[in-house]
Amino acid sequence: MATGPEQVTEQATESVSAQVTEPLPATTASSARRRVLVVGAGVVGLTCAVALAGDGFEVNVVARDLPPETTSAVAAALWFPYRALPQDRVTAWAAASYDRFTRLAREEESAGVDLVPGAELVRTTSSEPWWAAAVPGLRPLSEPPDGYAGGWEFEAPVVDTGIYLPWLLARLTALGGTLTRQALPALPDNAPILVNCTGLAARALARDRSVTPVRGQLVVLDQVGVTRWWADDTDPGRPLYVVPRRRSVVVGGTAEPGDWDTRPRPETTRDLLAAAARLEPALARARVLRERVGLRPARPAVRVEAQASEPGRLVVHCYGHGGSGVTVSWGCAAEVVGLVRAHVG
């Protein structure tokens, strides 16, 4: 569910900047078959880059914005399929990502991923969520909060993007990949293998007008002992979520289609804090650390596909993930690797 970062500090930006390199030099035709240019340095772009580099490809990421400056950095990053279709593909991608995040939480503390118990809340009796097959241990909520008819509880990965995005970039660097800051007027037409992970920018760069923003506002609070996450998306325009991290709690949010305004609205913050305190009374006394707004890259269907191009050239599109970029990132990256591998032979 796209929401807000625990922190995007000057130190984090400097850490990422230190890993930005110059573009890779020209290569021979044979080596070019193993070289991939990824456009976009959000969570989807970096995950695709890491997966490709781990599969033996030479990867250069080119992006206008460094990872701490992307929409992904403005994400509560709770594993939770949200505003992404089609359901069958999203469920499969989310299941693969759940498995990968679970392993990271257990084996890579420095990745900033934790497994946190919590529940999706419902106001009327309902069947299992459409993505239930992606979640091990999903079960009915035995004691829902006041005002709710029930819910579905499970242990979900919570990703601290302030830690995780630099961790992804460090993994890419360790695998020999690079990141270059560069604003592009269009998708490059001279890369033998191009992976387009430009998110909302695909509206211009891929000339895809079906990609539109869905504005999400959130508040980051001091951690005051909240240990469970809550999510209520029964109101399409005002989802509510409380996501605890190690040192903070992220509270959101909104879902405002077509709204490009990235300025926080004070009245929205007041409403979010009041709603969150009804779920977690301790938050009523929590200090506000920051207010953030992110623009989810929504599309009628997530686009993960190879596009026909001139002979010998491959373009793979991977964008339009709505509020599920983190949730489906590793599953989508695996599919991208498969498409690239099939092209190389």
Side-chain angles (χ1 to χ4, degrees), residues 83-87 208-212 297-303 320:
R83 281 189 175 260
L85 297 170
Q87 292 183 358
D208 187 345
R209 306 297 287 182
S210 71
V211 186
T212 58
R299 191 174 185 271
V302 178
R303 188 180 187 189

Side-chain angles (χ1 to χ4, degrees), residues 281-318:
L283 292 176
R285 63 177 185 273
R287 181 168 61 102
V288 174
L289 302 178
R290 63 190 63 85
E291 302 166 69
R292 298 302 301 268
V293 174
L295 303 180
R296 304 176 182 93
R299 191 174 185 271
V302 178
R303 188 180 187 189
V304 180
E305 64 180 6
Q307 181 182 34
S309 186
E310 59 265 26
R313 184 168 186 261
L314 176 69
V315 177
V316 177
H317 295 286
C318 186

Side-chain angles (χ1 to χ4, degrees), residues 11-304:
Q11 182 178 4
T13 303
E14 290 171 1
S15 174
V16 172
S17 298
Q19 299 176 67
V20 176
T21 68
E22 293 301 318
L24 294 173
T27 59
T28 64
S30 59
S31 64
R33 287 181 57 80
R34 301 294 298 178
R35 175 151 295 170
V36 181
L37 180 66
V38 176
V39 184
V43 68
V44 172
L46 287 181
T47 306
C48 286
V50 168
L52 286 161
D55 203 59
F57 291 92
E58 299 177 55
V59 182
N60 179 214
V61 180
V62 174
R64 180 192 65 186
D65 300 324
L66 296 181
E69 303 161 352
T70 64
T71 298
S72 299
V74 189
L78 168 70
W79 183 100
F80 191 91
Y82 178 72
R83 281 189 175 260
L85 297 170
Q87 292 183 358
D88 56 345
R89 297 184 79 190
V90 170
T91 299
W93 293 327
S97 300
Y98 188 102
D99 180 66
R100 184 60 176 266
F101 283 128
T102 297
R103 284 186 281 128
L104 286 175
R106 292 171 177 167
E107 301 169 8
E108 293 276 355
E109 184 178 357
S110 62
V113 180
D114 295 301
L115 294 176
V116 180
E120 179 195 27
L121 300 171
V122 296
R123 296 189 180 274
T124 59
T125 303
S126 66
S127 57
E128 288 184 336
W130 56 264
W131 39 263
V135 184
L138 183 75
R139 58 198 179 277
L141 179 63
S142 57
E143 297 183 13
D146 291 344
Y148 292 95
W152 301 95
E153 61 181 334
F154 61 98
E155 198 171 49
V158 171
V159 179
D160 183 336
T161 53
I163 300 171
Y164 183 65
L165 293 176
W167 180 86
L168 276 177
L169 183 54
R171 285 290 302 145
L172 176 63
T173 302
L175 291 166
T178 65
L179 169 63
T180 303
R181 184 199 282 273
Q182 183 179 355
L184 300 173
L187 293 177
D189 59 6
N190 59 350
I193 303 175
L194 175 71
V195 179
N196 170 25
C197 301
T198 54
L200 190 56
R203 182 176 172 86
L205 295 178
R207 299 179 182 179
D208 187 345
R209 306 297 287 182
S210 71
V211 186
T212 58
V214 176
R215 181 181 182 275
Q217 181 170 329
L218 57 89
V219 189
V220 183
L221 306 173
D222 259 337
Q223 176 57 275
V224 289
V226 177
T227 59
R228 289 177 60 87
W229 62 267
W230 302 99
D232 170 11
D233 65 347
T234 54
D235 181 348
R238 182 55 66 87
L240 174 64
Y241 43 88
V242 175
V243 182
R245 292 178 172 177
R246 297 172 187 177
R247 296 186 179 86
S248 67
V249 180
V250 180
V251 169
T254 64
E256 300 161 283
D259 192 335
W260 292 85
D261 187 4
T262 57
R263 295 169 297 180
R265 295 166 184 161
E267 65 276 13
T268 299
T269 294
R270 288 194 296 270
D271 291 346
L272 292 175
L273 293 176
R278 287 193 288 272
L279 280 177
E280 288 284 353
L283 292 176
R285 63 177 185 273
R287 181 168 61 102
V288 174
L289 302 178
R290 63 190 63 85
E291 302 166 69
R292 298 302 301 268
V293 174
L295 303 180
R296 304 176 182 93
R299 191 174 185 271
V302 178
R303 188 180 187 189
V304 180

